[in-house]
Amino acid sequence: MSGVLERTLAILERLAADVGGVPLGTLADELDMPRSAAHRLLSDLASHGYVRQTHDRGHYVLTTKLVSLGLNYLKQSGVVDLTQPILDRLAEASGELVRLGVVDVDHITWVSLSQGATSGLRYDPDHGIDVKLSCTSSGHAWLSTLPEDDAIALLSKQGIAKPAEYGPHAPTSIAAVMKCVRQARKDGIAFSSETYARGLSAMSTPVLAPGNGAVGVLAMSGPSVRLTDEKMRRWAPELIAAAADVARASAASPLFHRAYARPDVADVR
């Protein structure tokens, strides 16, 4: 890793994965860069308000500046205001977590959620992270809308999830993932159980823009003991209907307009 921009982005991404902070030496070693270079970049980021050092141990942590930028971007896009009522209704009725992800060229990022569970077991995921395509119902739902060659190219680029790091039922090969993708294409919805995390079930369906393919995904997820296969099958038509409502409501959002105008996947391989 040699480019200044590449190193800076790598530092931000690494710090985003650890809210407790990371020592300078650990950052430099993990990102394969000289400690002097890491210190210089961290100092520059700190001077612009993106990172700070903790008082107790001197570890480097992100400030809320990046979060603020992201939230302001979502606010300006209007996507949350336009679609939140739809997510809220479905979450309240089902008692499960409902999330909206937006397609951005070669990945999906969660941008909005509604938690339907008010007590008992809850699934509270990280927000704003990119979707792991190979082991999530959301990844399978989006890939099911793409030509197979493009879907395989995206899987190859991101890599296949390892069951030891994700769920015990995570597919372990491109062939296994594509089997799930083909089933999702046939059903119009993707189902998963303990593929992303142990004890977690989920189902997802694409948010489709006529003539432009999938611009997002709508997902319902929760503990497997409550979100059983039978419950997912029962709520599948409601999720598909809600995705259609999201597509209509979000047509006015610039965030979805960008997805409508995105280049072909083949252009970014």
Side-chain angles (χ1 to χ4, degrees):
M1 187 176 297
S2 58
V4 172
L5 178 59
E6 182 184 15
R7 286 177 167 177
T8 302
L9 292 175
I11 287 174
L12 292 173
E13 290 174 356
R14 176 62 183 87
L15 291 178
D18 196 333
V19 296
V22 184
L24 170 62
T26 300
L27 273 173
D29 293 344
E30 290 185 1
L31 301 179
D32 192 27
M33 68 176 73
R35 296 193 179 194
S36 58
H39 184 265
R40 184 167 58 252
L41 292 175
L42 286 164
S43 297
D44 289 342
L45 287 168
S47 69
H48 287 85
Y50 288 97
V51 306
R52 64 177 177 83
Q53 277 188 284
T54 60
H55 292 297
D56 53 351
R57 293 184 295 175
H59 291 185
Y60 287 90
V61 297
L62 288 181
T63 68
T64 58
K65 188 171 183 177
L66 277 177
V67 177
S68 178
L69 289 174
L71 291 174
N72 186 60
Y73 176 72
L74 286 178
K75 178 181 178 182
Q76 295 302 320
S77 76
V79 66
V80 174
D81 291 339
L82 290 166
T83 62
Q84 193 65 47
I86 301 169
L87 274 65
D88 289 343
R89 286 195 297 270
L90 186 58
E92 182 179 3
S94 65
E96 303 296 350
L97 178 74
V98 177
R99 291 191 288 173
L100 174 65
V102 172
V103 171
D104 190 358
V105 184
D106 62 349
H107 62 278
I108 303 170
T109 300
W110 297 118
V111 298
S112 184
L113 63 81
S114 183
Q115 176 62 265
T118 57
S119 62
L121 292 174
R122 292 162 57 104
Y123 171 50
D124 292 305
D126 294 328
H127 195 42
I129 63 174
D130 290 344
V131 171
K132 188 65 176 179
L133 300 178
S134 71
C135 64
T136 61
S137 62
S138 298
H140 297 170
W142 177 42
L143 294 175
S144 73
T145 69
L146 301 175
E148 292 225 346
D149 286 347
D150 287 349
I152 291 171
L154 287 173
L155 287 169
S156 299
K157 179 179 180 181
Q158 192 185 74
I160 303 299
K162 298 178 180 179
E165 299 173 359
Y166 289 88
H169 297 159
T172 57
S173 67
I174 287 180
V177 176
M178 291 308 297
K179 182 179 180 180
C180 299
V181 169
R182 294 184 189 105
Q183 187 63 50
R185 185 180 298 125
K186 178 181 177 181
D187 296 338
I189 192 167
F191 301 92
S192 67
S193 178
E194 296 194 313
T195 58
Y196 182 71
R198 186 177 298 276
L200 174 70
S201 293
M203 60 176 176
S204 303
T205 191
V207 176
L208 298 170
N212 290 282
V215 295
V217 292
L218 190 64
M220 180 184 293
S221 52
S224 299
V225 294
R226 189 177 64 227
L227 189 58
T228 61
D229 181 70
E230 188 274 333
K231 183 175 181 179
M232 286 195 289
R233 296 287 175 180
R234 187 170 73 249
W235 281 95
E238 298 293 335
L239 188 68
I240 292 172
D245 290 341
V246 168
R248 287 189 288 269
S250 62
S253 169
L255 186 61
F256 279 90
H257 286 173
R258 184 182 65 187
Y260 296 157
R262 70 182 185 274
D264 291 338
V265 171
D267 295 336
V268 293
R269 292 180 190 173

CSV table of all heavy atoms in Angstrom, one decimal, residues 206-216 243 247-248 250-251 256 259-260 262:
chain,number,residue,atom,x,y,z
A,206,PRO,N,-35.6,-7.3,-4.2
A,206,PRO,CA,-35.1,-6.1,-4.8
A,206,PRO,C,-36.1,-5.0,-4.9
A,206,PRO,O,-37.3,-5.3,-5.1
A,206,PRO,CB,-34.7,-6.6,-6.2
A,206,PRO,CG,-35.5,-7.9,-6.4
A,206,PRO,CD,-35.7,-8.5,-5.1
A,207,VAL,N,-35.6,-3.8,-4.9
A,207,VAL,CA,-36.4,-2.6,-5.2
A,207,VAL,C,-36.2,-2.3,-6.6
A,207,VAL,O,-35.1,-1.9,-7.0
A,207,VAL,CB,-36.1,-1.4,-4.3
A,207,VAL,CG1,-36.8,-0.2,-4.7
A,207,VAL,CG2,-36.3,-1.7,-2.8
A,208,LEU,N,-37.2,-2.5,-7.5
A,208,LEU,CA,-37.0,-2.4,-8.9
A,208,LEU,C,-37.5,-1.1,-9.5
A,208,LEU,O,-38.6,-0.7,-9.2
A,208,LEU,CB,-37.7,-3.6,-9.6
A,208,LEU,CG,-37.2,-5.0,-9.2
A,208,LEU,CD1,-38.1,-6.1,-9.7
A,208,LEU,CD2,-35.8,-5.2,-9.7
A,209,ALA,N,-36.7,-0.5,-10.4
A,209,ALA,CA,-37.1,0.7,-11.1
A,209,ALA,C,-37.3,0.2,-12.6
A,209,ALA,O,-36.4,-0.4,-13.2
A,209,ALA,CB,-36.0,1.7,-11.1
A,210,PRO,N,-38.5,0.4,-13.1
A,210,PRO,CA,-38.8,-0.1,-14.5
A,210,PRO,C,-37.8,0.4,-15.5
A,210,PRO,O,-37.5,1.6,-15.6
A,210,PRO,CB,-40.2,0.6,-14.8
A,210,PRO,CG,-40.8,0.7,-13.4
A,210,PRO,CD,-39.7,1.1,-12.5
A,211,GLY,N,-37.2,-0.6,-16.2
A,211,GLY,CA,-36.2,-0.3,-17.2
A,211,GLY,C,-34.8,0.0,-16.7
A,211,GLY,O,-33.9,0.2,-17.5
A,212,ASN,N,-34.6,0.0,-15.3
A,212,ASN,CA,-33.3,0.3,-14.8
A,212,ASN,C,-32.8,-0.8,-13.8
A,212,ASN,O,-31.8,-0.6,-13.1
A,212,ASN,CB,-33.4,1.6,-14.0
A,212,ASN,CG,-33.6,2.8,-14.9
A,212,ASN,OD1,-32.6,3.2,-15.6
A,212,ASN,ND2,-34.8,3.3,-15.1
A,213,GLY,N,-33.5,-1.9,-13.7
A,213,GLY,CA,-33.1,-2.9,-12.8
A,213,GLY,C,-33.3,-2.6,-11.3
A,213,GLY,O,-34.1,-1.7,-11.0
A,214,ALA,N,-32.5,-3.2,-10.5
A,214,ALA,CA,-32.6,-3.0,-9.0
A,214,ALA,C,-31.8,-1.8,-8.6
A,214,ALA,O,-30.7,-1.7,-8.9
A,214,ALA,CB,-32.1,-4.3,-8.3
A,215,VAL,N,-32.5,-0.9,-7.8
A,215,VAL,CA,-31.8,0.3,-7.3
A,215,VAL,C,-31.6,0.1,-5.8
A,215,VAL,O,-31.0,1.0,-5.2
A,215,VAL,CB,-32.6,1.5,-7.6
A,215,VAL,CG1,-32.7,1.8,-9.1
A,215,VAL,CG2,-34.0,1.4,-7.0
A,216,GLY,N,-32.2,-1.0,-5.2
A,216,GLY,CA,-32.0,-1.2,-3.8
A,216,GLY,C,-32.6,-2.5,-3.4
A,216,GLY,O,-33.0,-3.3,-4.3
A,243,ALA,N,-41.7,-3.3,-1.1
A,243,ALA,CA,-40.6,-2.9,-2.0
A,243,ALA,C,-41.1,-2.2,-3.2
A,243,ALA,O,-40.5,-1.2,-3.7
A,243,ALA,CB,-39.8,-4.2,-2.5
A,247,ALA,N,-40.2,1.7,-4.2
A,247,ALA,CA,-39.7,2.1,-5.6
A,247,ALA,C,-40.5,3.3,-6.1
A,247,ALA,O,-40.0,4.2,-6.6
A,247,ALA,CB,-39.9,0.9,-6.5
A,248,ARG,N,-41.8,3.3,-5.8
A,248,ARG,CA,-42.7,4.4,-6.2
A,248,ARG,C,-42.3,5.7,-5.4
A,248,ARG,O,-42.2,6.8,-5.9
A,248,ARG,CB,-44.1,4.1,-6.1
A,248,ARG,CG,-44.6,3.1,-7.1
A,248,ARG,CD,-46.2,2.9,-7.1
A,248,ARG,NE,-46.6,2.2,-5.9
A,248,ARG,CZ,-46.7,0.9,-5.8
A,248,ARG,NH1,-46.5,0.1,-6.9
A,248,ARG,NH2,-47.1,0.3,-4.7
A,250,SER,N,-39.6,6.4,-3.8
A,250,SER,CA,-38.2,6.9,-3.8
A,250,SER,C,-37.8,7.4,-5.2
A,250,SER,O,-36.7,7.9,-5.4
A,250,SER,CB,-37.2,5.8,-3.5
A,250,SER,OG,-37.4,4.7,-4.4
A,251,ALA,N,-38.8,7.4,-6.2
A,251,ALA,CA,-38.4,7.9,-7.5
A,251,ALA,C,-38.0,9.3,-7.5
A,251,ALA,O,-37.3,9.8,-8.4
A,251,ALA,CB,-39.6,7.7,-8.4
A,256,PHE,N,-31.6,7.7,-5.4
A,256,PHE,CA,-32.0,6.6,-6.3
A,256,PHE,C,-31.8,7.0,-7.8
A,256,PHE,O,-31.6,6.1,-8.6
A,256,PHE,CB,-33.5,6.3,-6.0
A,256,PHE,CG,-33.6,5.3,-4.9
A,256,PHE,CD1,-33.8,5.8,-3.6
A,256,PHE,CD2,-33.6,4.0,-5.0
A,256,PHE,CE1,-33.9,5.0,-2.5
A,256,PHE,CE2,-33.7,3.1,-3.9
A,256,PHE,CZ,-33.9,3.6,-2.7
A,259,ALA,N,-28.6,5.7,-8.8
A,259,ALA,CA,-28.7,4.3,-9.1
A,259,ALA,C,-29.3,4.0,-10.4
A,259,ALA,O,-28.9,3.1,-11.1
A,259,ALA,CB,-29.4,3.6,-8.0
A,260,TYR,N,-30.3,4.8,-10.8
A,260,TYR,CA,-31.0,4.6,-12.1
A,260,TYR,C,-29.9,4.8,-13.2
A,260,TYR,O,-30.0,4.2,-14.2
A,260,TYR,CB,-32.1,5.6,-12.3
A,260,TYR,CG,-33.3,5.5,-11.3
A,260,TYR,CD1,-34.1,6.5,-11.1
A,260,TYR,CD2,-33.5,4.3,-10.6
A,260,TYR,CE1,-35.2,6.4,-10.2
A,260,TYR,CE2,-34.6,4.2,-9.8
A,260,TYR,CZ,-35.4,5.2,-9.5
A,260,TYR,OH,-36.4,5.1,-8.7
A,262,ARG,N,-26.6,4.5,-13.0
A,262,ARG,CA,-25.3,3.9,-12.8
A,262,ARG,C,-24.8,3.2,-14.0
A,262,ARG,O,-25.6,2.7,-14.8
A,262,ARG,CB,-25.4,2.9,-11.6
A,262,ARG,CG,-26.2,1.7,-11.9
A,262,ARG,CD,-26.2,0.8,-10.6
A,262,ARG,NE,-26.9,-0.5,-10.9
A,262,ARG,CZ,-28.2,-0.7,-10.9
A,262,ARG,NH1,-29.0,0.3,-10.6
A,262,ARG,NH2,-28.7,-1.9,-11.1
